[in-house]
Amino acid sequence: FDCVHLGFTRKYGKVGQFLNTGSGGDTSEDLLNRFDLDAGFFKPHFVLLTIGGNDSRVMDVERFGANLRELHRRFEALDTKVIFQTYYAPDSTEENPHCAFYNFSDCVRQVARETGSYLIDNLRRWLPFRGHHYDLYQTLMLDEFHLNEGGNRVYGYDIARSIGCPLEEPDTSHWSEAIRVQQLMDERSL
């Protein structure tokens, strides 16, 4: 999130505040339940909506899609632009293939199309990267489903670029790994 804020500020100056009201473990229903307090109250100009990982474990995809549409409807009522996102690729195995997760990612894509919203399809970039650079991919993961600090740096760096606000650090040592991974993703993107 800090990468996106930094990239936006470098491009446009200090034009507002960025707030992260995300909460680990939340589902789309949790977002709906706290919408007025964590979104409606602030009336944001735009929102990055990244949800579905936890939903894929506790609800069916139809209910998830309905929740996404309702979130979009509520944001639209605030005149807030929604940027939907898919997640990075979890470390799927034969024992735990995360099939539901991928169906939920397809649902995010579908709702973004239906609503005419912008979509940052991170999963589309992370899947080929994981397949071709598995050892490097593993260094970015905390566990099979969550990114570590380096993985989050790659994720944020790539998101900032996706919204047209790339980070351009004079000292690239802090960002060198994120830049290298992003270049590898660029080579493998579909």
Side-chain angles (χ1 to χ4, degrees), residues 5-59:
H5 185 192
L6 183 58
F8 194 89
T9 301
R10 289 195 173 186
K11 183 170 183 174
Y12 297 107
K14 294 184 180 189
V15 294
Q17 291 184 304
F18 277 64
L19 300 172
N20 182 357
T21 60
S23 182
D26 270 7
T27 67
S28 56
E29 288 185 354
D30 294 317
L31 297 185
L32 288 167
N33 290 335
R34 59 186 180 84
F35 185 88
D36 291 334
L37 180 64
D38 288 351
F41 176 79
F42 296 106
K43 296 182 174 75
H45 290 98
F46 73 92
V47 62
L48 292 167
L49 189 56
T50 314
I51 194 75
N54 295 313
D55 295 78
S56 69
R57 298 173 184 191
V58 298
M59 72 179 68

Side-chain angles (χ1 to χ4, degrees), residues 11-165:
K11 183 170 183 174
Y12 297 107
K14 294 184 180 189
V15 294
Q17 291 184 304
F18 277 64
L19 300 172
N20 182 357
T21 60
S23 182
D26 270 7
T27 67
S28 56
E29 288 185 354
D30 294 317
L31 297 185
L32 288 167
N33 290 335
R34 59 186 180 84
F35 185 88
D36 291 334
L37 180 64
D38 288 351
F41 176 79
F42 296 106
K43 296 182 174 75
H45 290 98
F46 73 92
V47 62
L48 292 167
L49 189 56
T50 314
I51 194 75
N54 295 313
D55 295 78
S56 69
R57 298 173 184 191
V58 298
M59 72 179 68
D60 62 47
V61 73
E62 290 77 19
R63 191 162 116 210
F64 174 66
N67 289 347
L68 287 182
R69 289 177 192 90
E70 177 60 17
L71 284 163
H72 183 271
R73 186 195 67 74
R74 291 184 189 186
F75 279 118
E76 195 172 53
L78 296 174
D79 200 26
T80 299
K81 300 296 178 208
V82 176
I83 301 172
F84 285 103
Q85 289 194 101
T86 58
Y87 286 89
Y88 45 87
D91 195 3
S92 293
T93 62
E94 284 185 29
E95 299 80 35
N96 192 3
H98 298 297
C99 295
F101 169 83
Y102 294 108
N103 293 335
F104 278 62
S105 298
D106 288 341
C107 183
V108 170
R109 293 177 182 114
Q110 177 184 340
V111 172
R113 276 191 307 273
E114 288 173 11
T115 60
S117 299
Y118 189 73
L119 172 69
I120 301 173
D121 198 349
N122 297 295
L123 183 60
R124 179 186 61 82
R125 291 176 56 75
W126 279 77
L127 278 173
F129 168 70
R130 184 188 71 193
H132 292 283
H133 303 282
Y134 187 73
D135 290 341
L136 179 55
Y137 161 85
Q138 280 192 309
T139 69
L140 303 174
M141 300 299 289
L142 182 63
D143 57 38
E144 72 177 27
F145 210 88
H146 299 94
L147 297 173
N148 61 24
E149 182 181 346
N152 274 300
R153 192 174 300 130
V154 170
Y155 194 53
Y157 194 95
D158 209 38
I159 292 166
R161 188 177 78 161
S162 294
I163 63 168
C165 299

